[in-house]
Every structure is written in structure tokens, then in C-alpha cells.
Amino acid sequence: HPTACAETIVNGTILSGFEYCGQKCSAVSRMYVPASLWDQIRAGLEAAVPALKIGPAEKTTSFASAVIDQKSFDKIKSYIEFAREDESCRIIVGGDCNDDVGYYVTPTIIQTTDPNCKLLHEEIFGPVVTVLVYQDADWEETVKLVNETSPYGLTGSIFCRDRSILEATHKALRHTAGNIYFNDKSTGSVVGQQPFGGSRASGTNDKALSLNLVGKWTSPQAIKESLVPLTTHTYPYMEE
């Protein structure tokens, strides 16, 4: 939302989208950014993302490392190549792929002008975040777009400092994500503290380590007992 804190969005996007090289189910993969904030957010991403250290996982100075295998590398690379060739897309930062030693993909930010671009609704599972910039006045229409675009429903974030708008937006996106974050990155739920799970193509929204999940290990049975004799098999309305 236009009232959001741009600095929080920049840092939240980096943490959510590029930790573990984007290979986590809760990682951000798409962003809808108001035009009034885009220049500031883009500048922040352009400054911070290229400075991230991508290297061996055993080095504590590495922010992230390689993706898991050749299959994953090839899939992620194919989406980046799509963005290079598609007229609606522009690579803002990153986009480099190298599998000479390990399967390295640099954290990548892509901007698209197509609200139906496949980068916004297909699962890449890598360090690629796609941005759609909308006009500030189109907030409500954009919220509907967010709800209708992706088949998945695991996590999401709403960045907004107007409480009434935040609550209305949350209501509109009630079924868009099983875990939703207000002014925070869309990752980092703590096992045992924050029940986690999503719906739509992301699952049945059973919350791990919650009472809701306990029912999966039970077999409910309903019991009815009558304490008086059953004296007839007809109903009063049958009488003439």
C-alpha cells in the first residue's frame, strides 16, 4: 500500500526472497508495488541485492549459496531466460546463472507490466522475485488481482501503515494465504509458536503443531443413545 515503509519492504523482500536461495515454500516470489513507492524500493533493491554474498554454504559470511541440483538450476534459469525474451519483462538486478562449480543463481528481481505474466503465478522455487507496479488509485483492483492470480495459498505479506486499510485488505485476502504477515517478511514462522500451513494448491491448510492437526491422527465417531423405548414406527401426520 502507498502508506507502507519502503525500507521495510526492501529488507523484507531480500530476507524472504533470497535466504536459502529462495528454496523455501514460504519465500516471496511476487510483489505488487504502488507507483509512488517503486522508485524508492527499486533503488533500495538495486543497491542491496548485488551486494549480497553468494558463496559456499559452510562459510558464515555467505548470505545464500547454490540451488540444490541441476534440475532446479535448469528450471530457474529457464524462467530468467523467459524474462529476457518477453517484451513485458525487464530484469532489474541479477539474472546470472553459473553451474561450472555448483549451481549458482544470483538473486534476481524482475519487473513485468503483464498482470498475467507466468512469473506471477507459476512456482519457480528459486531466488527470483517478480514485481508488478500498479497505480496508487488502483489499490482495491490490485488486491483482487492478488487474490485471483496465483493457484497457491501458503504465505503472504501486506505492507500498510493505515490500520483500517490493512484490516480491510486482510479480509479481502482471507483465503489467499494460510499464513499472512502484516508489515513483515512472509517467512520465518517458528515451529511450536506459529502454526504453519496453506490452502489451495499449497495443501489442506492443516497447521503443523496445532490442535487442528491432532485430528489427523484420530478417527471421530458420533454416538446417539435413546433412553426411552421406541413405541411406534409411524408419525403423527400419518393419522387420518
Side-chain angles (χ1 to χ4, degrees):
H1 189 265
T3 64
C5 172
E7 182 181 23
T8 297
I9 294 173
V10 170
N11 290 318
T13 299
I14 292 172
L15 289 167
S16 178
F18 303 135
E19 281 188 316
Y20 302 100
C21 227
Q23 299 170 110
K24 48 185 177 179
C25 54
S26 57
V28 60
S29 59
R30 58 178 179 144
M31 294 174 61
Y32 296 80
V33 179
S36 61
L37 291 181
W38 176 232
D39 286 347
Q40 188 177 353
I41 292 172
R42 181 180 61 195
L45 292 171
E46 288 176 335
V49 174
L52 298 175
K53 183 175 176 56
I54 310 300
E58 64 270 18
K59 290 190 175 182
T60 57
T61 55
S62 296
F63 182 85
S65 189
V67 298
I68 192 168
D69 56 22
Q70 185 74 58
K71 182 178 179 180
S72 178
F73 175 86
D74 291 342
K75 177 183 178 181
I76 298 167
K77 183 179 179 181
S78 71
Y79 279 99
I80 293 175
E81 291 176 344
F82 166 82
R84 291 190 195 281
E85 299 173 2
D86 189 87
E87 293 182 354
S88 73
C89 295
R90 174 191 172 198
I91 296 177
I92 303 298
V93 293
D96 297 324
C97 304
N98 190 313
D99 60 351
D100 290 342
V101 180
Y103 306 105
Y104 285 93
V105 180
T106 59
T108 302
I109 303 286
I110 298 169
Q111 181 181 355
T112 182
T113 56
D114 179 7
N116 296 309
C117 178
K118 73 174 187 176
L119 299 176
L120 293 171
H121 63 80
E122 293 186 9
E123 185 179 57
I124 302 175
F125 215 76
V128 179
V129 176
T130 303
V131 180
L132 181 73
V133 178
Y134 67 90
Q135 295 303 310
D136 291 26
D138 296 334
W139 170 252
E140 293 184 1
E141 291 75 9
T142 302
V143 171
K144 293 178 182 178
L145 186 64
V146 171
N147 185 49
E148 298 169 354
T149 298
S150 175
Y152 300 100
L154 186 55
T155 67
S157 296
I158 304 171
F159 292 90
C160 175
R161 288 186 285 193
D162 183 314
R163 196 70 195 181
S164 62
I165 295 177
L166 179 63
E167 292 177 355
T169 303
H170 175 221
K171 184 177 180 180
L173 297 178
R174 173 64 181 82
H175 300 291
T176 303
N179 285 65
I180 200 158
Y181 300 76
F182 295 166
N183 297 306
D184 198 4
K185 59 187 177 66
S186 63
T187 59
S189 62
V190 179
V191 175
Q193 295 182 23
Q194 184 177 359
F196 186 81
S199 59
R200 297 182 176 179
S202 295
T204 55
N205 207 15
D206 298 302
K207 300 299 188 190
L209 295 178
S210 72
L211 291 177
N212 178 59
L213 192 61
V214 174
K216 291 295 181 180
W217 280 269
T218 65
S219 180
Q221 184 182 61
I223 299 173
K224 175 189 176 184
E225 179 181 4
S226 179
L227 300 179
V228 296
L230 189 60
T231 59
T232 183
H233 60 273
T234 61
Y235 299 94
Y237 66 79
M238 291 180 174
E239 299 176 3
E240 294 185 358

